[in-house]
């Protein structure tokens, strides 16, 4: 489940941030919207933050980590303004999202994965699939 798609199609935003040139997420409405789907299980949530999601929703959390030079080029290519670009790079330098995940969930379920080159995507998918297979084995019967 790609949260940005639900955010925009479900009208789950509360205004627009001109400085960052993006919608402002209404976190309470997002949690309310996702509660039933998440309680059924088998859902993957893709979003750039996690501190407002209930701990009970997740068995594992993956945080993507990118080298700053790679990240800078990606964000510049996307047309991010200078403030948004600078703030995103600083977040990566200080591992803000990783620390947020560690503060929101049990440390043993939080993992970092590299996201620097196209090969990393395939490696990450394979690692996540192996984790899913093991989780299903461990929780069957």
């Amino acid at each position: 489940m790609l949260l940005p798609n639900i955010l925009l199609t479900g009208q789950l935003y509360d205004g627009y941030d001109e400085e960052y040139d993006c919608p402002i997420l209404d976190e309470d409405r997002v949690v309310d919207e996702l509660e039933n789907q998440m309680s059924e299980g088998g859902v993957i949530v893709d979003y750039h933050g996690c501190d407002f999601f209930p701990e009970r929703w997740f068995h594992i959390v993956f945080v993507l980590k990118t080298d700053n030079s790679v990240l800078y080029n990606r964000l510049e290519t996307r047309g991010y303004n200078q403030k948004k670009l600078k703030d995103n790079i600083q977040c990566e330098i200080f591992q803000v999202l990783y620390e947020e995940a560690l503060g929101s969930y049990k440390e043993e379920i939080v993992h970092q994965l590299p996201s620097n080159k196209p090969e990393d995507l395939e490696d990450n998918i394979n690692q996540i699939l192996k984790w899913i297979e093991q989780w299903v084995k461990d929780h069957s019967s």
Side-chain angles (χ1 to χ4, degrees), residues 75 126 131-132 141:
L75 300 181
N126 289 332
W131 181 88
I132 291 170
S141 345

Side-chain angles (χ1 to χ4, degrees), residues 1 3-4 6-8 10-14 24-38 45 47 52-54 57:
M1 163 181 317
L3 194 53
I6 291 172
L7 167 70
L8 295 173
Q11 303 288 316
L12 302 177
Y13 50 90
D14 187 26
I24 299 169
L25 183 67
D26 184 329
E27 296 173 353
D28 291 333
R29 286 172 57 195
V30 169
V31 170
D32 290 346
E33 178 75 18
L34 295 177
E35 187 66 52
N36 288 338
Q37 293 170 329
M38 295 304 292
V45 176
Y47 192 64
F52 66 94
F53 293 122
W57 282 4

Side-chain angles (χ1 to χ4, degrees), residues 5-106:
N5 293 338
I6 291 172
L7 167 70
L8 295 173
T9 60
Q11 303 288 316
L12 302 177
Y13 50 90
D14 187 26
Y16 195 82
D17 187 322
E18 298 295 335
E19 185 175 29
Y20 287 102
D21 192 26
C22 64
I24 299 169
L25 183 67
D26 184 329
E27 296 173 353
D28 291 333
R29 286 172 57 195
V30 169
V31 170
D32 290 346
E33 178 75 18
L34 295 177
E35 187 66 52
N36 288 338
Q37 293 170 329
M38 295 304 292
S39 66
E40 293 171 11
V43 177
I44 296 173
V45 176
D46 176 15
Y47 192 64
H48 64 268
C50 65
D51 62 337
F52 66 94
F53 293 122
E55 184 177 4
R56 69 182 179 279
W57 282 4
F58 303 106
H59 297 285
I60 196 161
V61 175
F62 295 103
V63 178
L64 299 178
K65 180 163 179 51
T66 306
D67 292 336
N68 293 327
S69 59
V70 173
L71 183 60
Y72 185 92
N73 291 335
R74 278 185 196 163
L75 300 181
E76 190 175 49
T77 300
R78 291 180 190 169
Y80 280 28
N81 65 45
Q82 283 300 307
K83 174 152 181 52
K84 189 173 181 177
L85 200 145
K86 177 184 165 202
D87 287 353
N88 274 271
I89 296 296
Q90 286 181 345
C91 281
E92 190 66 23
I93 290 169
F94 294 111
Q95 298 190 44
V96 170
L97 295 179
Y98 181 62
E99 292 297 325
E100 179 181 291
L102 290 173
S104 299
Y105 307 103
K106 294 176 185 168

